[in-house]
Amino acid sequence: MADWIALDRLLITAQPGRDIGVCDGIAVDHVAFRLRVLAWRDAFSTVEGRDWALYFDDTVAFAAALFGAWHAGKRVFLAADNLPATLQALQPQVSGFAGDLSADYQPLQATAAAADDAALLPLDERACELCVFTSGSTGQPSAISKRLDQLAREVDALQAAFGTQLDGAQVHGTVSHQHIYGLLFRVLWPLAAGRAIQPRRFFHEDLVGALAGTDTVLVATPAHLKRLPEQLDWASLHGRLRAVFSSGGPLPEDAARQVRLWLGVAPTEVYGSSETGGIAWRRWDADAPPWRPLPGVQWRIEEDCLAVASPHLETSDWWRTQDRVEALADGRFRLLGRADRIVKIEERRVSLDALERALREDPEVEDVRVLVLQGQREQLAAVVVPADPALARAGDSARRALGQRLGTRLAQGHDAVTRPRRWRLVESLPINAQGKVTQAALVALFQPLMPVPVWDCREEAEATLRMTLDPALRAFQGHFPQAPILPGVAQLDWAVRFGRQAFVLPTGFQRMDAVKFQRVARPGDELTLQLQWDAERGVLTFRYTSVHGVHASGRVVFADAH
């Protein structure tokens, strides 16, 4: 490409008229950007220590500080955010901070602008380093070091795969440049390709306005793409949106179809990790397309898992991932899921093992299992055996209070996405006949036991309520997998439980009379339950109906009635 510049030579000679982007509301061309880099180089050259952490809200300001630090011979650590726990964990590993941080961290400031004829030598690609943080296979946060030559080769691969379709387009993103995906797609690749960088992340409410009126590349994640608000004028972007990139986690098929329909362009999904760099890509022109390797990436299967070798890796050795894979005849492949306990929640990698270790260190926890609950949104959940067994039998308020205390303590090092959102307290973890804790048993603890009632009538001897049969109700599990129906025993149980909410029923059960099951009830049905209580005879009469007719009816007789 005519505008292509090797990253190590990006700033050697000023290029008037070449737009970089906007910083602090001011248009920045290549000449102005070079001056900003020189100012940061001079600032970093005056301070001791090799390792410095950066955090900037503005992408162009971040890019200038990053190249300034590299030209001063510094190794850069990317702070994932500027939360106190993140910065405190970084503090022992770095000599100082620069960027949008509290004055408590004494962030370095750029010097006055240098002369525009100041010299910049080519960067040594193997000497320039950057560290990003990832949970890794052990779940312990660790710094992944990336040399500039690795990053530059990955930028070359992205340009070779996609560059032709993006000439002249601006780059907008919903992802942070403080992470490796945003760094590559919103900073390094646009700089090398001569595409203007937009300085801030966009969110749904201002995305359409920001993208309109110019040819655009959107760099996003599945978390944003699967929540596009229907009411926005997406059709106004048709023909101007050159590409939509998605990475950081699997893009759901429904979301890919929606993007294709609303935004008028098939999303391009890129697969990789902080350790491996980019591995492969696929474009959602059709449903569930297979993956094709990026230029320069070799792959093979080792023990059912994908192994890769590429210039994006630290060495020429093969790297085996924990992603199970199926090879296709045309050189492409399909991913079959993770082989370890590292999961992705909202494109954030979370170690279930690490969360469990953190919770077990809490004095109020005896044992714990953390799991992912599937649904419209995946979320983390925890099944906790309290150190005080009485808490497992306590009332709702005491149980909720313990969950809130544990969540608050975890919040010191985990944000809302990466800590459990739902809690269950049990006296012991559920085990099967082999003595193992199964995923199915844990998930069952979070499935509702009963539907949520809508009471139409609650009088002394009569009550009527409506309920919608949620497919997640525990009663449907395993009854039957091919075509779930509501078991009769559940209907009897619910009649008594709702009866106890409506009336003062005796505790003793004697018998059932005239029980009939006339019509099956399925997930999604709305049932009406009519209850009558004869206190003199101790008889609870129930009747389930819906638009389909009568489902069940009968009487329950209690033993200790007067």
Side-chain angles (χ1 to χ4, degrees):
M1 304 298 298
D3 289 333
W4 188 252
I5 300 175
L7 284 174
D8 68 327
R9 296 180 175 272
L10 179 64
L11 300 164
I12 303 307
T13 305
Q15 302 167 57
R18 188 177 196 233
D19 289 336
I20 295 295
V22 178
C23 184
D24 300 325
I26 302 171
V28 177
D29 65 5
H30 189 272
V31 175
F33 181 68
R34 187 175 183 274
L35 291 175
R36 288 172 178 264
V37 172
L38 286 166
W40 276 110
R41 181 203 64 177
D42 293 346
F44 278 114
S45 297
T46 64
V47 292
E48 296 181 354
R50 182 187 176 208
D51 297 334
W52 284 74
L54 301 186
Y55 180 86
F56 287 82
D57 292 321
D58 186 295
T59 302
V60 177
F62 165 81
L66 172 65
F67 276 89
W70 275 342
H71 276 284
K74 305 299 185 185
R75 178 168 63 173
V76 174
F77 283 65
L78 293 193
D81 50 56
N82 56 1
L83 294 173
T86 302
L87 301 180
Q88 288 164 17
L90 261 178
Q91 212 157 15
Q93 303 177 60
V94 297
S95 302
F97 295 84
D100 301 319
L101 304 164
S102 160
D104 296 340
Y105 295 94
Q106 301 179 327
L108 181 68
Q109 303 297 319
T111 62
D116 58 8
D117 59 351
L120 280 174
L121 298 175
L123 291 168
D124 181 344
E125 285 191 341
R126 293 191 64 82
C128 292
E129 289 184 73
L130 175 141
C131 291
V132 294
F133 284 86
T134 178
S135 57
S137 59
T138 64
Q140 296 296 329
S142 58
I144 304 296
S145 184
K146 309 289 283 189
R147 298 187 308 269
L148 180 56
D149 64 316
Q150 296 171 255
L151 298 169
R153 298 299 78 76
E154 186 162 0
V155 166
D156 292 342
L158 295 173
Q159 180 68 7
F162 315 115
T164 1
Q165 71 189 84
L166 307 183
D167 282 351
Q170 292 191 7
V171 179
H172 290 75
T174 64
V175 298
S176 171
H177 53 255
Q178 298 286 145
H179 299 272
I180 191 71
Y181 169 42
L183 172 73
L184 287 163
F185 278 72
R186 292 189 58 213
V187 178
L188 300 182
W189 184 18
L191 284 175
R195 289 189 283 275
I197 300 169
Q198 289 303 309
R200 64 187 181 92
R201 287 191 287 164
F202 289 96
F203 299 95
H204 291 140
E205 58 272 14
D206 54 7
L207 196 53
V208 170
L211 300 183
T214 182
D215 287 355
T216 298
V217 177
L218 175 60
V219 180
T221 68
H224 293 103
L225 295 178
K226 66 188 180 186
R227 294 187 179 90
L228 296 178
E230 187 174 1
Q231 69 272 17
L232 297 184
D233 183 17
W234 299 111
S236 65
L237 304 180
H238 288 199
R240 306 309 298 267
L241 202 52
R242 297 282 194 84
V244 174
F245 288 102
S246 177
S247 192
L251 181 64
E253 197 166 311
D254 288 348
R257 283 198 213 100
Q258 198 75 283
V259 169
R260 200 166 62 210
L261 176 66
W262 288 0
L263 276 59
V265 60
T268 299
E269 192 174 3
V270 180
Y271 156 63
S273 69
S274 299
E275 296 92 341
T276 63
I279 293 174
W281 66 280
R282 61 181 181 177
R283 186 165 291 134
W284 285 83
D285 295 310
D287 292 342
W291 295 93
R292 66 175 72 241
L294 283 166
V297 175
Q298 303 174 65
W299 67 275
R300 67 189 186 194
I301 299 176
E302 296 180 0
E303 298 183 11
D304 294 329
C305 287
L306 180 70
V308 295
S310 83
H312 317 161
L313 288 165
E314 186 176 6
T315 70
S316 57
D317 296 336
W318 286 84
W319 178 284
R320 191 168 80 194
T321 72
Q322 289 296 313
D323 292 314
R324 296 180 297 110
V325 69
E326 172 193 11
L328 301 179
D330 59 0
R332 296 183 295 175
F333 60 84
R334 295 192 185 279
L335 294 174
L336 305 177
R338 297 287 287 181
D340 59 13
R341 294 195 77 219
I342 303 294
V343 298
K344 287 277 184 84
I345 302 293
E346 301 286 3
E347 291 69 63
R348 302 287 296 282
R349 194 158 59 164
V350 181
S351 167
L352 303 185
D353 288 335
L355 275 173
E356 288 173 2
R357 283 196 297 271
L359 285 166
R360 287 193 189 101
E361 291 172 2
D362 195 292
E364 290 196 272
V365 175
E366 177 68 27
D367 202 359
V368 65
R369 289 290 189 278
V370 177
L371 64 152
V372 179
L373 295 179
Q374 305 294 330
Q376 187 174 11
R377 296 184 184 180
E378 289 184 334
Q379 58 181 314
L380 293 169
V383 179
V384 176
V385 179
D388 179 3
L391 278 173
R393 302 185 296 272
D396 288 345
S397 59
R399 295 155 67 90
R400 278 196 302 269
L402 176 57
Q404 289 168 357
R405 290 197 298 273
L406 296 175
T408 300
R409 290 165 197 158
L410 279 180
Q412 300 301 312
H414 299 78
D415 61 21
V417 172
T418 60
R419 63 179 186 262
R421 303 288 295 275
R422 298 181 65 187
W423 303 83
R424 287 292 181 271
L425 305 188
V426 294
E427 294 186 68
S428 60
L429 293 173
I431 58 174
N432 61 13
Q434 290 75 41
K436 295 182 179 179
V437 178
T438 67
Q439 178 79 0
L442 295 173
V443 169
L445 294 172
F446 293 89
Q447 292 165 340
L449 185 64
M450 296 174 63
V452 177
V454 177
W455 295 92
D456 293 328
C457 165
R458 291 179 72 172
E459 298 177 358
E460 184 177 353
E462 293 184 0
T464 304
L465 63 112
R466 288 172 289 119
M467 64 187 85
T468 299
L469 300 184
D470 187 335
L473 283 165
R474 202 179 306 179
F476 285 121
Q477 304 311 305
H479 195 93
F480 298 100
Q482 300 298 323
I485 62 173
L486 183 64
V489 66
Q491 296 178 58
L492 286 167
D493 180 58
W494 294 354
V496 173
R497 288 177 182 268
F498 285 127
R500 292 194 184 282
Q501 292 181 27
F503 318 116
V504 180
L505 301 185
T507 56
F509 169 81
Q510 188 176 75
R511 67 179 187 274
M512 295 181 294
D513 285 342
V515 174
K516 298 178 182 178
F517 298 104
Q518 297 157 270
R519 185 174 277 104
V520 298
R522 296 184 173 89
D525 285 347
E526 184 180 277
L527 301 185
T528 296
L529 174 59
Q530 296 169 300
L531 298 170
Q532 292 182 330
W533 171 236
D534 185 337
E536 288 295 320
R537 297 168 54 215
V539 176
L540 176 70
T541 303
F542 66 91
R543 188 169 184 262
Y544 288 92
T545 61
S546 76
V547 293
H548 306 296
V550 178
H551 290 266
S553 61
R555 296 189 295 270
V556 180
V557 182
F558 291 89
D560 53 349
H562 298 291

